[in-house]
């Protein structure tokens, strides 16, 4: 076990912002310092959340595994950041794995100690709230992106299905050769007319599609495929 | 570019792949999503190369000599 850290290690950490020297000393005295070599797990998804954690040095990867076994990197934690702390205040289970991706020095506080510290130093609770609020905002942004992308890809796939079935080469590109309303596309993709209209309008302004009242021409077939298949952007050639 | 290559460049991707199944892995290796794509019957080889930012001449050269008998199983592509 590494020697007990100097209270100065907590200085500059958002979780302990606004604490005086006594407060910092109190927090450090109750902390358990630990070293985690690169590649080792600090905690695992589904384990009882025994403690709140703060990273002093190194880098930690937070990885969540879905029911289908697919892993998603939720975020990377750097020096000075807290992690795994929220679980203490929710269902008491760690929601993800924390893996040291570099040699790490970490402080942790057992759940009961963390709540006790928050009672004694309300600034810690306020700081935690502000950190959680910031991460919630990040997640909301990410969710919006994912949701938007998903519906875009669904609509692109629907148009490609129709091209496969009824595509016709025309001067301007590839036409879907039967009357097709935006409502039809909405029903094919399980989304709303509003979303289809918004998406097609955006694609129209990018010159990808051209849609009349009842027909759709794909002017940039590859651009539509790239959206549907999530292809990497093509590097510009000289 | 040879006359033969110019001719190939104007085939649709679906025709091209149907005539040369051996070209499919080459296309995939270059990151082209053409095999199985709904747009393949409508886009020429030359348009596909342009869309993916590939040099048409070099791509055709790489696939030269891959001509083979038509593959009936790919007729629906």
């Amino acid at each position: 076990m590494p020697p007990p850290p100097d209270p100065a290690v907590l200085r500059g950490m958002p979780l302990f912002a606004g604490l005086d020297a006594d407060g910092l000393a109190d927090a450090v005295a109750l902390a358990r310092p630990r070293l985690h070599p690169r590649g080792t797990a600090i905690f695992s998804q589904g384990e009882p959340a025994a403690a709140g954690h703060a990273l002093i040095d190194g880098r930690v990867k937070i990885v969540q595994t879905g029911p289908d076994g697919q892993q998603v990197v939720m975020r990377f934690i750097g020096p000075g950041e807290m992690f795994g702390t929220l679980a203490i205040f929710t269902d008491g289970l760690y929601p993800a794995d924390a893996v040291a991706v570099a040699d790490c020095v970490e402080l942790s506080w057992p759940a009961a100690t963390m709540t006790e510290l928050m009672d004694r130093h309300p600034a810690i609770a306020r700081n935690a709230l502000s950190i959680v609020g910031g991460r919630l905002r990040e997640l909301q942004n990410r969710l919006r992106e994912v949701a938007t992308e998903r519906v875009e890809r669904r609509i692109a796939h629907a148009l490609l299905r129709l091209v496969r079935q009824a595509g016709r080469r025309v001067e301007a590109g590839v036409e879907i050769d039967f009357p097709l309303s935006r409502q039809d596309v909405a029903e094919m993709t399980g989304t709303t007319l509003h979303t289809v209209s918004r998406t097609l309008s955006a694609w129209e302004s990018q010159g990808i599609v051209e849609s009349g009242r009842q027909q759709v021409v794909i002017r940039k077939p590859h651009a539509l495929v790239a959206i549907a298949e999530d292809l990497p952007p093509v590097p510009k050639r000289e | 570019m040879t006359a033969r290559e110019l001719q190939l460049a104007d085939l649709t991707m679906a025709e091209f792949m149907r005539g040369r199944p051996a070209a499919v892995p080459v296309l995939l290796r270059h990151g082209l999503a053409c095999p199985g794509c709904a747009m393949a019957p409508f886009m020429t080889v030359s348009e596909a190369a342009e869309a993916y930012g590939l040099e048409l001449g070099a791509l055709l050269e790489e696939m030269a000599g891959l001509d083979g008998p038509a593959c009936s199983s790919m007729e629906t592509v």
Side-chain angles (χ1 to χ4, degrees), chain A residues 33 39 50 54 80 117 144 179 183 192 216 226:
Chain A
L117 269 175
R144 195 200 60 237
Q183 183 63 42
T192 61
V216 175

Side-chain angles (χ1 to χ4, degrees), chain B residues 12-28:
Chain B
T12 68
M13 256 301 172
E15 289 167 334
F16 182 82
M17 292 186 290
R18 194 153 56 228
R20 294 155 199 80
V24 169
V26 179
L27 296 171
L28 291 174

Side-chain angles (χ1 to χ4, degrees), chain A residues 107-127:
Chain A
L107 295 181
S108 65
W109 293 265
T113 307
M114 187 57 105
T115 46
E116 205 183 297
L117 269 175
M118 286 180 168
D119 287 342
R120 284 216 291 267
H121 309 284
I124 299 177
R126 281 197 300 273
N127 293 336

